């Protein structure tokens, strides 16, 4: 049951190609940084090869550096943000957890080195704490047999510890134990590294420390909470290797020592016996917070907010310390998994070594002189400080590979100093530029995935100076960045320097969007107050030409070098023109046209389609709408993906009939032309929280995105083959569309709407006396609106007018059943269904059609309101429908009392009035 079977994937003719990329439209290939808030893991087993595991969002980064180049392998395995990682003593098995969804155990030794196979998750535990709370920390025992997780911590309750013998495969934990609620949430978990006590562990909480053990014979967890002693804000706790003691560090710069184990059971207990530790003493080591403590090679190592790393012996006597040049708070210390260096290696085997290699004697010579080159401690004996290499990570996201024996410090990986606020992709070169909250521009070469140039913009943090938007000019000569305080920073990306007149300030409002014209002569800046500012380039300087405000702008796009359009939350589309002729007495920026394009939906994104004759607009009711780019006349309405929020950031793939967009969490690839086919798009999960932006770089055939709280920009390789394969198996005609209906193509719903389709042709309004009726698969376009209402799409008059305009583009007066069904599926409400009783109750209450008590509907008042509010209904039509629905109220009353023509719009509704109905009865009649 506990045997692990080796997994060796074979190469089946797709060498060098990732199997996930063959199945997914987008495959994550690279990230520009990592999350410094999650402690990294150093799983290096050789001094010549650095192997690290980092976290970035819901992705694990398996990093390798062999001295010549860096290699990063991102693997997505979590639904939420990764918050904790751990590994066993060999570094083969790695455990990771997200905030609440799952715990994964990864096997790093998968396949051979030459095949470059990614590590795989061989064990997943879903929702270990269910609804009780989040996962706080996870850890693997050094022998890799046991998985320990801590979390829960619901409101007013304490945390829990759960342990699994994960190699067996049980879905339920072997044992669970609760922790005192007064100790707060869990911060870290650590198993004891000593061979005889590997089933012991220590839990660090906000207000205390808990020691525990796992009894493998009794299959039981046991914990021991030392007596309270007044300390708070614990950060980390470790067992001191080679002793029975433990050390904790706090945010106040304290080190708390815990005494040796004291057995409370009779002799003969195993390593899982109940042991007890007591508070021994405390030492005030720093006036700064000590964030991390580790025990390695008979030494205790700490890292603090002063950027200082200190080495102590097992009795907490200071031995050695050092600081880096840039003093940054230390957040992580992780030592290599190699064996401890020998202090006094034998010299005889070296003299008799007959190995043919020339490098071996050099390495052995260095090992012989290790005590001479190692730094000396501060004791009177001045003994050498010999410790294996380790990696430290700072709060600002810098990673350092440190070897104090050889006095080597090397910076690794790409730093992630702050949360990304904006990024842009070069239009012609394989280049990416990011900007973080500290105003640091970083340009990356997308071919080598290496940092090319950096620029520190002197932003004013106290005046909201962070840069919120970036854009390259189409010619690639300029890089514009808009800031929160209204500054516009202009940089030259080739040299990554600021231009002479930078920054420009024409407003004190936040700049939330910048966009260059196609010829790079003009620049549009959209402020938080929705003012559009036009700038013109004169040689190397940018001058303000004009400003205007139209609506609460959502998105904009250039139609040509002098015209552009915008959409806004006022449900209008506006066209602007740029007047560059100084001889003509016109405004430099003027509004040419303003047309309403929505009735109740809010537009969310805008895209100019290839050819320049059509504008694609997405709205928050999960629709794509096509408009003529000059007349703004609606042409088609199509169903958009409705699984995960509205479509945003529409981006066209140059030279291909595809475009990309994002929703709340997903990145979609959609094929053109759009027709509402649900098999024409595929998606991947792009972010655990919320995606903020999307860009496309066709030079490397990749998409780039980032989301809330990210320290990195994600690079996704685009592959259209899965989408084309998906369409091959979707079927033709109505087959893919009928999957959106209950029961599919052969379901009762399709049969019913087909029956109504033919019934429309034999209805009295279409009959001609005694003439012979001929049924055909075609319907008059004048009958389509009422037919769609009869099968479940309750459209408004505005939507009916748009539908009739769209049907004119078919070029015929009759539509087939297939065409009408597609219209129905594309125009109907994407989510939900027909109005419910609660919807009707809300509507009549909102328009004021209820009586004084609010529990009854005044029918006479409702008739008057329907004839005067919103889209006014014809009085005769209103009266006809009310007489059919409510015959008791309108059937036998004189026109002066109950009819529409004689109603005054004012009536007192009481319990005996026949013109009043309860809201429940009124809703039941309509539903």
């Amino acid at each position: 049951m506990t045997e692990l079977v080796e997994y060796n994937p074979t190469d089946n003719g797709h060498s060098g190609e990732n199997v996930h990329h063959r199945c997914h439209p987008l495959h994550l290939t690279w990230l520009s940084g990592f999350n410094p808030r999650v402690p990294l893991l150093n799983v290096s087993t050789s001094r010549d090869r650095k192997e690290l595991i980092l976290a970035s969002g819901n992705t694990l980064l398996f990093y390798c550096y062999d001295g010549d180049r860096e290699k990063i392998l991102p693997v997505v395995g979590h639904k939420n943000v990764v918050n904790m990682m751990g590994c066993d003593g060999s570094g083969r098995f790695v455990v990771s957890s997200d905030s609440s969804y799952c715990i994964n155990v990864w096997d790093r030794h998968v396949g051979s080195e030459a095949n470059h196979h990614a590590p795989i998750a061989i064990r997943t535990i879903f929702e270990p704490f269910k609804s009780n709370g989040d996962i706080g920390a996870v850890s693997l025992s050094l022998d890799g047999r046991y998985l320990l997780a801590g979390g829960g911590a619901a409101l007013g309750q304490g945390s829990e510890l759960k342990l699994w013998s994960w190699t067996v495969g049980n879905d339920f934990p072997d044992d669970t134990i609760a922790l005192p609620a007064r100790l707060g949430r869990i911060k870290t978990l650590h198993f004891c590294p000593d061979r005889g006590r590997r089933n012991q562990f220590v839990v660090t909480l906000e207000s205390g420390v808990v020691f525990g053990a796992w009894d493998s014979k009794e299959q039981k967890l046991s914990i021991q909470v030392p007596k309270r002693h007044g300390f708070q804000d614990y950060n980390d706790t470790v067992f001191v290797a080679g002793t029975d003691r433990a050390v904790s560090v706090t945010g106040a710069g304290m080190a708390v020592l815990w005494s040796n184990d004291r057995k409370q059971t009779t002799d003969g207990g195993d390593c899982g016996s109940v042991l007890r530790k007591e508070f021994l003493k405390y030492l005030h080591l720093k006036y700064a917070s000590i964030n991390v403590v580790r025990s390695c090679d008979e030494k205790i190592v700490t890292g603090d907010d002063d950027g200082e790393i200190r080495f102590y012996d097992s009795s907490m006597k200071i031995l050695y310390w050092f600081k880096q040049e840039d003093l940054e708070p230390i957040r992580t210390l992780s030592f290599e998994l190699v064996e401890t260096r020998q202090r006094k290696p034998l010299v005889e085997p070296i003299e008799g070594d007959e190995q043919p290699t020339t490098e071996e004697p050099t390495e052995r010579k260095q090992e012989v002189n290790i005590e001479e080159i190692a730094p000396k401690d501060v004791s009177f004996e001045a003994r050498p400080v010999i410790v294996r290499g380790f990696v430290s990570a700072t709060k600002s996201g810098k990673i350092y590979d440190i070897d104090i024996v050889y006095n080597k410090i090397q910076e690794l990986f790409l730093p992630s100093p702050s949360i990304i606020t904006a990024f842009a992709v070069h239009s012609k070169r394989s280049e990416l530029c990011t900007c973080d909250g500290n105003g640091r521009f970083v340009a990356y070469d997308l071919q080598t995935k290496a940092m090319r140039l950096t620029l520190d913009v002197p932003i004013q943090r106290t005046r909201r100076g962070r840069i919120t938007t970036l854009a390259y000019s189409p010619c690639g000569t300029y890089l514009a960045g808009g800031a929160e305080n209204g500054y516009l920073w202009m940089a030259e990306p080739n040299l990554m320097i600021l231009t002479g007149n930078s920054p420009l300030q024409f407003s004190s409002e936040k700049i939330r969007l910048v966009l260059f014209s196609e010829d790079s002569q003009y620049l549009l800046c959209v402020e938080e107050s929705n003012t559009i500012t036009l700038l013109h380039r004169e040689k190397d300087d940018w001058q303000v030409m004009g400003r205007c405000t139209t609506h609460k702008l959502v998105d904009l796009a250039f139609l040509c070098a002098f015209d552009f359009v915008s959409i806004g939350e006022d449900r209008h589309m506006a066209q602007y023109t740029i007047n560059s002729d100084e001889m003509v007495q016109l405004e430099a920026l003027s509004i040419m046209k303003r047309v309403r394009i929505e009735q109740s939906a809010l537009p969310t994104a805008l895209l100019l389609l290839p050819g320049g004759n059509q504008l694609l607009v997405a709205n928050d009711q999960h629709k794509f709408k096509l408009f003529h780019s000059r007349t703004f006349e609606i042409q088609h309405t199509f169903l958009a993906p409705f699984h995960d929020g509205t479509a945003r950031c529409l981006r066209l793939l140059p030279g291909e009939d595809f475009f990309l967009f994002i929703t709340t969490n997903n990145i979609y690839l959609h094929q053109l032309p759009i027709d509402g086919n649900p098999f024409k798009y595929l998606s991947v999960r792009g972010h655990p929280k919320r995606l903020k932006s999307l860009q496309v770089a066709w030079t490397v055939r990749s998409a780039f995105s980032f989301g809330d709280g990210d320290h990195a920009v994600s690079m996704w390789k685009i592959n259209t083959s899965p989408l084309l394969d998906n369409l091959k198996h979707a079927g033709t005609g109505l087959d893919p569309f009928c999957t959106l209906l209950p029961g599919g193509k052969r379901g009762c719903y399709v049969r019913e709407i087909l029956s109504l389709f033919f019934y429309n042709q034999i209805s009295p309004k279409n009959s001609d006396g005694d003439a012979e009726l001929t049924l055909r698969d075609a319907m008059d376009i004048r009958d389509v609106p009422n037919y769609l209402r009869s099968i479940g799409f309750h459209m408004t008059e505005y939507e009916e007018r748009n539908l009739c305009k769209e049907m004119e583009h078919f070029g015929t007066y009759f539509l087939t059943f297939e065409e009408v069904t597609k219209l129905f599926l594309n125009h109907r409400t994407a989510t939900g269904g027909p109005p419910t009783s609660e919807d009707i109750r809300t509507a009549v209450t909102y328009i004021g059609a209820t009586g004084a008590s609010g529990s009854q509907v005044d029918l006479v008042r409702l008739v008057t309101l329907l004839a005067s509010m919103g889209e006014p209904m014809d009085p005769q039509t209103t009266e006809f429908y009310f007489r059919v629905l409510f015959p008791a109220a309108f059937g036998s009353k004189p026109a002066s009392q109950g009819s529409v023509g004689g109603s005054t719009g004012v009536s007192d509704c009481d319990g005996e009035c026949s013109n009043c109905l309860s809201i429940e009865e009124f809703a039941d009649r309509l539903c």
Side-chain angles (χ1 to χ4, degrees), residues 502-536:
S502 185
L504 302 173
Q505 188 177 22
F506 42 82
S507 172
S508 59
E509 296 288 336
K510 171 185 174 181
I511 300 177
R512 57 188 180 92
L513 181 63
V514 292
L515 181 66
F516 284 91
S517 62
E518 296 176 356
D519 57 0
S520 303
Q521 294 293 323
Y522 300 98
L523 175 64
L524 298 177
C525 300
V526 181
E527 304 168 16
E528 186 70 18
S529 59
N530 300 296
T531 301
I532 302 176
T533 303
L534 174 66
L535 288 87
H536 176 60

Side-chain angles (χ1 to χ4, degrees), residues 13 46 57 106 167-168 266 275 297-298 320 344 367 376 420-421 484 508 517 617 642 681-682 802 818 831:
S46 171
W106 305 82
T167 57
V168 178
T266 58
L275 304 173
D297 296 342
E298 301 178 358
Y320 185 72
K344 296 180 180 180
E367 292 290 344
K376 304 301 186 291
I420 298 295
T421 58
E484 288 179 328
S508 59
S517 62
V617 178
F642 52 89
Y681 55 82
L682 287 176
N802 283 344
E818 178 180 332
T831 57

Side-chain angles (χ1 to χ4, degrees), residues 287-334:
Y287 286 102
S289 173
I290 303 177
N291 303 312
V292 60
V293 59
R294 292 291 181 267
S295 177
C296 183
D297 296 342
E298 301 178 358
K299 296 174 182 62
I300 300 173
V301 189
T302 63
D304 52 53
D305 270 353
D306 287 340
E308 187 176 44
I309 299 177
R310 291 188 174 188
F311 297 83
Y312 301 87
D313 63 8
S314 57
S315 301
M316 291 303 296
K317 295 179 181 179
I318 185 72
L319 299 177
Y320 185 72
W321 66 90
F322 73 93
K323 290 185 178 181
Q324 301 173 12
E325 294 182 359
D326 46 350
L327 302 180
E328 298 180 358
I330 305 296
R331 287 292 181 265
T332 303
L333 293 174
S334 186

Side-chain angles (χ1 to χ4, degrees), residues 792-794 829 832-841 843 923 926-927:
F793 174 45
H794 307 279
T829 304
T836 63
S837 299
E838 188 62 31
D839 296 333
I840 296 174
R841 178 195 299 269
L926 296 184
C927 292

Side-chain angles (χ1 to χ4, degrees), residues 89-166:
S90 65
R92 173 180 177 180
F93 300 111
V94 177
V95 61
S96 61
S97 68
D98 54 35
S99 57
S100 61
Y101 188 66
C102 72
I103 300 173
N104 283 331
V105 179
W106 305 82
D107 187 358
R108 294 178 54 243
H109 298 176
V110 177
S112 62
E113 182 79 15
N115 291 333
H116 302 290
H117 288 290
I120 61 172
I122 59 177
R123 185 77 167 91
T124 300
I125 301 172
F126 293 100
E127 297 182 350
F129 295 96
K130 303 299 179 184
S131 60
N132 294 333
D134 296 339
I135 305 171
V138 291
S139 181
L140 279 178
S141 61
L142 267 68
D143 57 6
R145 296 176 58 187
Y146 302 111
L147 166 62
L148 183 65
L155 185 62
Q157 300 179 3
S159 301
E160 289 182 335
L161 291 178
K162 296 189 177 184
L163 185 137
W164 289 265
S165 299
W166 66 271

Side-chain angles (χ1 to χ4, degrees), residues 608-675:
L608 180 65
L609 293 181
N613 296 323
Q614 288 182 320
L615 289 169
L616 177 63
V617 178
N619 62 31
D620 64 347
Q621 293 183 356
H622 310 289
K623 301 294 182 184
F624 283 135
K625 292 189 176 183
L626 291 179
F627 296 89
H628 194 276
S629 59
R630 294 299 178 181
T631 64
F632 292 173
E633 181 182 352
I634 189 168
Q635 295 181 338
H636 295 288
T637 299
F638 299 114
L639 178 66
F642 52 89
H643 305 286
D644 179 46
T646 58
R648 297 177 289 116
C649 298
L650 306 181
R651 300 291 182 260
L652 192 67
L653 297 187
E656 295 200 23
D657 294 331
F658 295 91
F659 70 97
L660 288 94
F661 60 92
I662 60 175
T663 56
T664 304
N665 303 111
N666 298 331
I667 306 176
Y668 283 82
L669 177 67
H670 201 303
Q671 187 187 27
L672 291 172
I674 304 175
D675 58 6

Side-chain angles (χ1 to χ4, degrees), residues 537-557:
R537 179 167 60 88
E538 299 177 359
K539 294 183 179 180
D540 291 333
D541 294 334
W542 292 85
Q543 303 295 332
V544 177
M545 287 186 60
R547 293 162 63 87
C548 71
T549 302
T550 311
H551 49 198
K552 191 172 183 180
L553 192 143
V554 174
D555 199 1
L556 55 82

Side-chain angles (χ1 to χ4, degrees), residues 611-787:
N613 296 323
Q614 288 182 320
L615 289 169
L616 177 63
V617 178
N619 62 31
D620 64 347
Q621 293 183 356
H622 310 289
K623 301 294 182 184
F624 283 135
K625 292 189 176 183
L626 291 179
F627 296 89
H628 194 276
S629 59
R630 294 299 178 181
T631 64
F632 292 173
E633 181 182 352
I634 189 168
Q635 295 181 338
H636 295 288
T637 299
F638 299 114
L639 178 66
F642 52 89
H643 305 286
D644 179 46
T646 58
R648 297 177 289 116
C649 298
L650 306 181
R651 300 291 182 260
L652 192 67
L653 297 187
E656 295 200 23
D657 294 331
F658 295 91
F659 70 97
L660 288 94
F661 60 92
I662 60 175
T663 56
T664 304
N665 303 111
N666 298 331
I667 306 176
Y668 283 82
L669 177 67
H670 201 303
Q671 187 187 27
L672 291 172
I674 304 175
D675 58 6
N677 188 341
F679 291 88
K680 270 197 170 183
Y681 55 82
L682 287 176
S683 70
V684 295
R685 186 173 179 83
H687 199 268
K689 293 182 179 178
R690 184 181 184 274
L691 287 164
K692 297 180 69 175
S693 182
L694 176 73
Q695 297 290 338
V696 176
W698 201 237
T699 55
V700 289
R701 196 180 173 86
S702 298
F704 298 83
S705 66
F706 83 104
D708 288 341
D710 281 354
H711 291 254
V713 173
S714 303
M715 177 178 178
W716 304 83
K717 195 71 175 179
I718 300 174
N719 182 20
T720 59
S721 298
L723 182 55
L724 298 176
D725 294 339
N726 194 40
L727 281 173
K728 291 179 182 178
H729 301 88
T732 59
L734 276 178
D735 290 349
F737 292 88
C738 286
T739 58
L740 299 171
L741 295 173
K745 186 177 181 180
R746 292 177 173 81
C748 60
Y749 193 90
V750 174
R751 292 198 300 269
E752 182 177 353
I753 64 175
L754 181 61
S755 300
L756 291 174
F757 181 84
F758 289 110
Y759 175 77
N760 180 80
Q761 300 181 34
I762 62 175
S763 60
K765 64 183 179 62
N766 289 328
S767 62
D768 187 12
D770 298 331
E772 183 179 356
L773 294 175
T774 302
L775 297 179
R776 59 178 178 173
D777 188 12
M779 175 181 287
D780 194 316
I781 60 174
R782 294 173 295 181
D783 298 331
V784 171
N786 285 333
Y787 170 71

